[in-house]
Amino acid sequence: ADRPCIQGDFREEELMKINKLLVCAVAVVGWGLVGCGGVEGNYKLDKDATKKAAEAEIAKLPADQQEMAKHFAEKDSDMDVTLGLKKDGSASMKMTAGGENHEETGTWKKEGDGVTLTNGKGKPMNCTKSGSKLTCTEKHASGDETMVFVKS
């Protein structure tokens, strides 16, 4: 009579352990997904990180081109930019500088570890996601332009 009771307690105890492990596994996976997050969402330009990226690109230019590039980089430093990536693959970028507003629309696509944004004219911008930051680089003949966004 004692044996079935012990087996019953044992089974109940094992089921409780399995249940706890399952709950813990779900919680870890859930937290992992929240921590990693999807790419879609709204982003705001990180002006300091973008300025540092611009300074690194300017340093690669020939000395006679650096002064003008610095001038344009300073001019862009008052620019506010928001980037929206929707689940349907559409993208929008709103820019405000000097009291003027400009908006572009396009698409985005996750490719491996990266994200490719394409504006309405078909020009691609390659991005990498790290935590809540999205670092996007657009290739130009005169050098690369990098913008760093933070998910808001």
Side-chain angles (χ1 to χ4, degrees):
D2 287 338
R3 193 159 170 82
C5 186
I6 291 171
Q7 283 181 336
D9 288 344
F10 177 75
R11 285 185 191 146
E12 192 172 321
E13 188 176 308
E14 284 300 307
L15 286 174
M16 298 262 303
K17 282 182 184 178
I18 291 170
N19 194 24
K20 285 181 184 178
L21 286 172
L22 186 58
V23 168
C24 287
V26 169
V28 167
V29 170
W31 288 329
L33 292 175
V34 169
C36 296
V39 175
E40 54 283 311
N42 294 311
Y43 295 82
K44 185 174 170 107
L45 183 69
D46 181 334
K47 291 182 183 183
D48 291 333
T50 298
K51 182 178 179 182
K52 286 178 185 172
E55 289 169 350
E57 285 301 316
I58 290 169
K60 295 177 189 176
L61 294 173
D64 62 330
Q65 295 177 16
Q66 289 184 12
E67 202 56 44
M68 183 170 285
K70 286 178 186 176
H71 172 73
F72 283 114
E74 283 299 317
K75 188 177 176 186
D76 287 346
S77 67
D78 75 335
M79 185 170 50
D80 288 314
V81 183
T82 56
L83 174 66
L85 305 179
K86 295 185 179 173
K87 287 185 181 191
D88 67 0
S90 64
S92 64
M93 185 181 285
K94 297 176 185 175
M95 297 163 271
T96 304
E100 292 186 33
N101 297 321
H102 179 73
E103 183 171 353
E104 285 189 31
T105 57
T107 59
W108 71 272
K109 185 167 91 171
K110 184 153 175 43
E111 297 177 333
D113 292 337
V115 176
T116 300
L117 305 178
T118 305
N119 68 14
K121 298 173 189 165
K123 185 158 185 159
M125 182 182 274
N126 297 315
C127 307
T128 55
K129 187 171 186 303
S130 177
S132 64
K133 287 193 176 192
L134 191 65
T135 303
C136 302
T137 303
E138 188 173 15
K139 302 285 184 187
H140 297 280
S142 59
D144 297 345
E145 179 183 358
T146 299
M147 300 174 89
V148 181
F149 296 92
V150 177
K151 201 166 194 177
S152 52

